[in-house]
Amino acid sequence: MSAFSALLQNSRRRLLYNLFSRHCSRCISTPSSSSLEINVDLSHPTYMVWGSNTGVGKTLVSTGLAASVLSSAASSNPAKFFYIKPVQTGFPADSDSRFVYRKFSEIFLRRRGQASSVASNHALKASALAAKELLGAGSEDEKLERSEDGLKNLCWYEEMRMRGEETQVVGSELVCKTIYGWKEAISPHLAAEREGTVIQDLNLLESLQRCMWLGVDDGSNGRKEGIWSLIETAGGVASPGPSGTLQCDLYRPFRLPAILVGDGRLGGISGTISAYESLKLRGYDIVAVIFDDHGLINEVPLLSYLRHRVPVLVLPPVPQDQSDNLMEWFDESQSIFGSLKEMMLSAYLERLQRLQNMPKKARDNFWWPFTQHKLVPEEIVTVIDSRCGENFAVHKVQNADIITQQFDACASWWTQGPDTTLQIELARDMGYAAARFGHVMFPENVYEPALLCAELLLEGVGKGWASRAFFSDNGSTAIEIALKMAFRKFSHDHGILLDSVTGNLVERSLVFKVLALSGSYHGDTLGAMEAQAPSSYTGFLQQPWYTGRGLFLDPPTVFICNGSWNISLPEVLQSKSLKLENMIFNSCEELFNGSRESSDLARSYSTYITQQLCLFLGSEDHIGALIIEPVIHAAGGMHMVDPLFQRMLVKECRNRKIPVIFDEVFTGFWRLGAESAAELLGCTPDIACYAKLMTGGVIPLAATLATEAIFDAFKGDSKLMALLHGHSYSAHAMGCTAATKAIRWFKDPQTNSNIIARGRRLRELWDAKLVHQISLHPAVQRVVTLGTLFALELCAEGHDAGYGSLYASSLVRMLREDGVYLRPLGNVIYLMCGPCTSPQICSQLISKLHRRLNEFSQANA
């Protein structure tokens, strides 16, 4: 009898319902519609093994690594190795976890160290066919509970105890787990379908996360010496998971460092490079490539392609004889697996050190924008390891180092919109654009990305009014361009002519100003700052050159308070003759209703605007442009301006031939629930500026759209009549490609399930009942909710109010602990999602805010 056969006789293999059912229930997720909070334990090395194809030896590599880690263990220095196989087809005849379990046991007996060892193998859930195959037909199979996903809860377990040469004290432990199993040896998505099971990605990830933590989280602090975790995928990098999602996308929320098992066979170079690129495109860190030798020296071209960025290890040829127990092969490969283990350990330690050192290095090297560094101690610096869709992966040190998830509720300064799928699509398309074009000069040239982007802009946000697209690099410069356009058009229409030969103005002094609203914000460049009213951003400390070249009107604002929409009028517009029904509304839709233009309030607005403009008639100054942020003043405190007032402004400026500029850098591309805020206002501009969400937020790009009449004002026989403005990276191919993808994605109901009403609006994202409750909260002064924006202003006075206030800091810290990343505007708190964010996620966000508001209110009572 062989040593292994004798060992099997002494092994304990049985159904242990009572002892292990609780263990299994902690590993297995039940179907759920809620989101999963990702937490990755960094207290020990955790890696994911990928294959360039199926059948390339992933499980051999997993076994070799397990043996390498555990072989050096001793009773005084114990080691524990977790091997997890989330998805297994061909089960139980083909079980990778059982292979690792058995082969490790054979290797241990062959090498037999001083200390004893324990190996166990667990099977948690399987289809009915696989369960029957594992247990045999009969009462045991019938007793198994079948869950909603069509799988049976197995809680199957086997164990081997192996004595060392010198002591019975256990020095090493191997724990192998198969989470989901199907009988047919085909792709997981087909097996799941044919065997009547439905596994949602969320449930699979939750089960995997529980398995990764179970047995590792022992309550101790700091790094856990001697513990390793290895997760082995199924098939190739892009093989579908049970739901059909590609595994490289399915497991992306964890972003575990990767070991890529390449292919040493004919054609393996191509397959290995393709797998490598697929992982890199999704942001995975690949620590090493390893494959078995087939005599074709595939490592040479692979090393050349990888430029030695990633080590390539070559294993001895794997015996093809099925009767070979592979013990000699594992012996021969021992040094290779030892090297791989050291590489993995080194990469893990280097990553941990980088993450731990980043806050101090950031404070020593960065000059953060809009940040008082004296108020940012090292311990509150947020270390962002990566992003997946709308979530940051954030490094934290609690009892141990972890990577945890935070929803980006400020949309990274209002730029973000992509879900996880769009993020990958944008990465792929931008990579294509960079490979095809790099960067090419724009003036007098045309290339496909720029042309497609311009056409989409003019057919989308510019539909019905714009005919030209001028590209630049960010919102502030887009505003500068818009001002130049508007002033030229005003000069053209009002007889302030240019000498087309000399390019000099006629001999008289002219001053151009803008008509704008107090509380608006149009960017940080000098010209853009001149077009906004005095504020914290324009004071002497920030801009000593600032003069404020404009007529700045105090606008009426609207907000929710005590469950109703209310209009707040500036003092100059207040009148006893205004009726109450003109000031309170039951819904946001009533605010945008065009019938309001016949109201007394509309006439009051029109009179006020006319009076203010008439003050300029006798001066040398000219109101050369109206510039507004339509509907929402973002940086000014998330104030919603009465849309009726802005319509009256546009109407009056049209009558006076004053060009109208809409600053849609914040409001454009579905931020407020429509593709353009102009659709909400019910009027169009002559010029409009777009940026931020235009590219999906992954790369800077801006566009200033204009009517043909604006464009014609720059035509002439001299180049000096042209718009002499531009940027080195105008209309860069990567940005235009990203914008093309994002613009199409956000408005297509096939890719954005929030689109309703023939594609012209987003559905309601924020729970109306919760919004109502928050508007009644005693700590809340006002609430604004529109499209992807929810904002509230905390009741505060004196130094606790305004942009410089720190009043909301404790509330922000509490919400960050809840996995919601906020950045307030003084005592204004806002949540911002993307056009594709589900209402369920928005409800979770606003529920957390509501709960923390109560705690904040009590603490500040």
Side-chain angles (χ1 to χ4, degrees):
M1 183 181 294
S2 69
F4 183 64
S5 298
L7 184 63
L8 281 180
Q9 285 187 345
N10 295 324
S11 70
R12 296 182 290 133
R13 297 179 300 165
R14 66 194 67 130
L15 285 170
L16 299 170
Y17 291 106
N18 295 330
L19 185 57
F20 295 104
S21 60
R22 194 164 74 176
H23 171 92
C24 291
S25 67
R26 290 171 63 190
C27 276
I28 301 169
S29 169
T30 54
S32 168
S33 59
S34 62
S35 61
L36 171 64
E37 183 179 334
I38 296 294
N39 289 294
V40 177
D41 186 4
L42 296 183
S43 67
H44 66 284
T46 301
Y47 280 85
M48 185 163 272
V49 176
W50 297 89
S52 58
N53 205 338
T54 189
V56 293
K58 296 189 298 296
T59 310
L60 289 173
V61 171
S62 297
T63 305
L65 274 171
S68 182
V69 170
L70 297 177
S71 63
S72 59
S75 57
S76 60
N77 186 28
K80 194 171 186 179
F81 193 98
F82 291 88
Y83 169 87
I84 302 172
K85 184 76 173 183
V87 174
Q88 178 73 65
T89 59
F91 183 81
D94 185 6
S95 171
D96 292 338
S97 69
R98 177 173 274 190
F99 180 92
V100 175
Y101 161 72
R102 287 183 169 180
K103 287 300 172 187
F104 166 74
S105 302
E106 290 185 65
I107 294 169
F108 178 87
L109 290 176
R110 182 179 178 88
R111 299 174 186 172
R112 202 181 291 271
Q114 296 179 352
S116 297
S117 184
V118 176
S120 61
N121 182 35
H122 309 244
L124 306 183
K125 298 189 78 170
S127 68
L129 288 175
K132 185 176 181 180
E133 184 79 10
L134 177 67
L135 305 173
S139 59
E140 295 292 354
D141 173 48
E142 292 170 1
K143 283 196 302 185
L144 295 180
E145 179 186 351
R146 193 168 189 164
S147 56
E148 294 177 25
D149 52 24
L151 293 163
K152 290 199 171 186
N153 296 325
L154 294 176
C155 295
W156 190 90
Y157 174 89
E158 58 184 338
E159 181 184 282
M160 299 180 186
R161 291 184 174 272
M162 298 155 284
R163 179 164 179 166
E165 289 284 357
E166 298 183 2
T167 177
Q168 294 187 39
V169 177
V170 174
S172 63
E173 182 179 359
L174 172 68
V175 180
C176 299
K177 293 179 183 178
T178 298
I179 301 180
Y180 296 104
W182 289 268
K183 180 182 178 181
E184 197 169 357
I186 53 177
S187 182
H189 72 293
L190 290 175
E193 180 182 339
R194 292 184 185 182
E195 298 180 31
T197 60
V198 180
I199 306 296
Q200 300 297 330
D201 292 347
L202 183 65
N203 300 119
L204 191 154
L205 294 178
E206 188 171 1
S207 295
L208 175 55
Q209 178 163 280
R210 289 179 180 179
C211 282
M212 286 195 292
W213 280 92
L214 190 61
V216 174
D217 187 12
D218 57 6
S220 63
N221 297 338
R223 185 172 162 236
K224 296 179 173 63
E225 299 282 352
I227 295 180
W228 286 65
S229 292
L230 197 68
I231 294 92
E232 184 181 314
T233 58
V237 163
S239 295
S243 71
T245 302
L246 303 187
Q247 288 181 93
C248 49
D249 295 327
L250 171 61
Y251 297 120
R252 174 58 180 80
F254 294 118
R255 207 185 77 87
L256 296 175
I259 300 300
L260 176 60
V261 181
D263 193 343
R265 298 170 295 189
L266 184 64
I269 297 170
S270 176
T272 303
I273 290 174
S274 295
Y276 175 87
E277 293 295 344
S278 294
L279 291 173
K280 294 297 286 186
L281 176 71
R282 288 160 174 82
Y284 288 98
D285 296 325
I286 302 170
V287 172
V289 176
I290 186 170
F291 57 88
D292 64 306
D293 188 9
H294 285 258
L296 300 177
I297 322 178
N298 284 4
E299 65 273 18
V300 173
L302 282 174
L303 282 168
S304 175
Y305 175 79
L306 296 172
R307 300 182 187 277
H308 298 277
R309 293 186 298 268
V310 177
V312 178
L313 304 177
V314 182
L315 293 163
V318 178
Q320 299 303 303
D321 184 355
Q322 297 296 315
S323 64
D324 193 314
N325 68 1
L326 301 177
M327 290 301 101
E328 291 184 4
W329 183 84
F330 279 112
D331 286 345
E332 192 178 350
S333 306
Q334 191 172 356
S335 63
I336 303 297
F337 286 124
S339 297
L340 178 59
K341 180 192 72 173
E342 292 303 319
M343 291 174 185
M344 294 165 68
L345 181 60
S346 176
Y348 159 73
L349 293 173
E350 288 174 6
R351 181 193 185 195
L352 200 60
Q353 187 172 37
R354 285 197 307 272
L355 291 169
Q356 292 170 345
N357 292 343
M358 283 172 72
K360 183 180 186 307
K361 289 186 175 183
R363 280 183 46 81
D364 291 345
N365 291 279
F366 289 163
W367 190 336
W368 286 303
F370 291 94
T371 299
Q372 176 49 261
H373 283 235
K374 289 189 70 174
L375 301 177
V376 185
E378 187 177 314
E379 58 269 19
I380 72 167
V381 174
T382 300
V383 178
I384 301 175
D385 180 68
S386 66
R387 182 188 189 98
C388 187
E390 295 177 294
N391 295 303
F392 294 150
V394 175
H395 173 247
K396 285 187 174 182
V397 180
Q398 297 173 342
N399 292 335
D401 293 78
I402 64 168
I403 296 292
T404 189
Q405 183 176 286
Q406 285 186 346
F407 186 93
D408 179 10
C410 61
S412 286
W413 268 344
W414 322 331
T415 63
Q416 294 302 297
D419 54 17
T420 53
T421 306
L422 178 54
Q423 182 178 346
I424 298 303
E425 292 281 336
L426 288 168
R428 181 186 300 111
D429 286 8
M430 288 169 61
Y432 166 78
R436 179 179 172 185
F437 293 100
H439 176 63
V440 294
M441 194 172 188
F442 184 51
E444 300 183 31
N445 298 326
V446 62
Y447 41 94
E448 196 170 41
L451 183 58
L452 284 174
C453 183
E455 289 174 340
L456 280 171
L457 289 168
L458 298 175
E459 294 166 4
V461 291
K463 188 173 183 178
W465 66 271
S467 66
R468 300 286 171 166
F470 191 104
F471 290 105
S472 57
D473 58 350
N474 64 72
S476 186
T477 52
I479 293 294
E480 301 257 0
I481 293 160
L483 291 170
K484 289 184 177 181
M485 291 177 175
F487 293 153
R488 172 68 68 85
K489 175 61 173 167
F490 182 88
S491 300
H492 181 275
D493 289 348
H494 292 267
I496 306 170
L497 301 177
L498 293 171
D499 186 320
S500 61
V501 177
T502 65
N504 295 319
L505 285 169
V506 293
E507 293 181 2
R508 54 176 168 150
S509 176
L510 294 170
V511 177
F512 285 106
K513 293 190 174 182
V514 298
L515 176 61
L517 301 180
S518 298
S520 62
Y521 178 84
H522 302 294
D524 299 332
T525 53
L526 298 182
M529 294 181 81
E530 287 294 306
Q532 56 201 44
S535 69
S536 301
Y537 307 112
T538 61
F540 183 82
L541 288 173
Q542 303 301 327
Q543 199 342 12
W545 281 0
Y546 174 78
T547 58
R549 303 186 187 191
L551 169 60
F552 303 111
L553 307 183
D554 292 331
T557 58
V558 291
F559 53 85
I560 307 172
C561 183
N562 296 323
S564 299
W565 285 89
N566 300 264
I567 294 180
S568 175
L569 296 176
E571 186 176 351
V572 69
L573 281 169
Q574 292 176 7
S575 171
K576 294 181 179 179
S577 63
L578 291 174
K579 298 177 181 178
L580 187 63
E581 58 262 30
N582 289 330
M583 308 297 290
I584 299 178
F585 301 86
N586 294 320
S587 69
C588 186
E589 288 73 19
E590 293 180 17
L591 284 166
F592 291 100
N593 196 309
S595 64
R596 293 183 63 207
E597 292 188 23
S598 61
S599 67
D600 291 341
L601 188 59
R603 285 186 286 274
S604 176
Y605 286 167
S606 183
T607 300
Y608 168 64
I609 294 165
T610 301
Q611 290 174 345
Q612 294 299 308
L613 285 172
C614 285
L615 296 176
F616 266 71
L617 289 178
S619 70
E620 289 293 321
D621 298 345
H622 296 271
I623 298 293
L626 166 67
I627 180 167
I628 60 172
E629 291 179 273
V631 185
I632 296 289
H633 283 178
M638 297 297 171
H639 286 279
M640 183 171 174
V641 180
D642 186 358
L644 176 62
F645 183 78
Q646 291 191 322
R647 282 203 298 271
M648 293 297 101
L649 272 174
V650 172
K651 186 176 181 179
E652 187 62 33
C653 288
R654 288 259 187 268
N655 293 337
R656 296 171 180 269
K657 292 187 177 181
I658 297 174
V660 176
I661 302 170
F662 281 4
D663 177 354
E664 291 223 51
V665 172
F666 169 76
T667 63
F669 300 104
W670 308 98
R671 181 57 73 203
L672 302 185
E675 188 171 23
S676 166
E679 297 178 48
L680 298 176
L681 278 185
C683 56
T684 58
D686 300 296
I687 305 164
C689 303
Y690 300 92
K692 294 191 184 294
L693 261 177
M694 186 170 78
T695 63
V698 295
I699 192 169
L701 183 74
T704 304
L705 304 191
T707 63
E708 194 68 13
I710 298 289
F711 177 73
D712 287 343
F714 288 84
K715 283 184 176 179
D717 296 329
S718 168
K719 185 174 182 178
L720 298 179
M721 285 288 289
L723 178 52
L724 303 181
H725 193 114
H727 299 271
S728 301
Y729 290 94
S730 292
H732 58 91
M734 290 176 67
C736 289
T737 299
T740 298
K741 173 67 74 174
I743 291 168
R744 287 172 169 167
W745 190 278
F746 291 148
K747 68 169 59 179
D748 186 351
Q750 297 298 313
T751 51
N752 184 0
S753 60
N754 288 333
I755 296 291
I756 58 171
R758 298 179 183 176
R760 302 311 304 170
R761 293 289 187 275
L762 296 181
R763 60 176 166 169
E764 185 57 54
L765 299 175
W766 307 101
D767 185 271
K769 290 183 179 179
L770 278 172
V771 171
H772 179 84
Q773 290 176 24
I774 292 174
S775 76
L776 300 173
H777 200 285
V780 174
Q781 183 170 324
R782 65 180 175 90
V783 169
V784 171
T785 175
L786 188 62
T788 68
L789 170 68
F790 172 90
L792 66 82
E793 182 175 351
L794 297 168
C795 294
E797 297 178 352
H799 293 299
D800 287 337
Y803 181 74
S805 165
L806 301 176
Y807 185 64
S809 299
S810 61
L811 180 56
V812 169
R813 285 195 297 271
M814 287 189 284
L815 285 163
R816 288 186 182 181
E817 290 172 6
D818 289 342
V820 183
Y821 184 89
L822 293 177
R823 185 179 170 91
L825 293 163
N827 61 315
V828 174
I829 294 285
Y830 64 91
L831 301 171
M832 196 173 295
C833 65
C836 303
T837 308
S838 72
Q840 291 77 18
I841 291 177
C842 292
S843 293
Q844 292 170 14
L845 294 171
I846 202 172
S847 294
K848 291 178 179 179
L849 174 58
H850 187 222
R851 185 177 70 252
R852 289 300 196 176
L853 261 177
N854 294 326
E855 297 178 28
F856 173 80
S857 183
Q858 292 171 7
N860 289 274

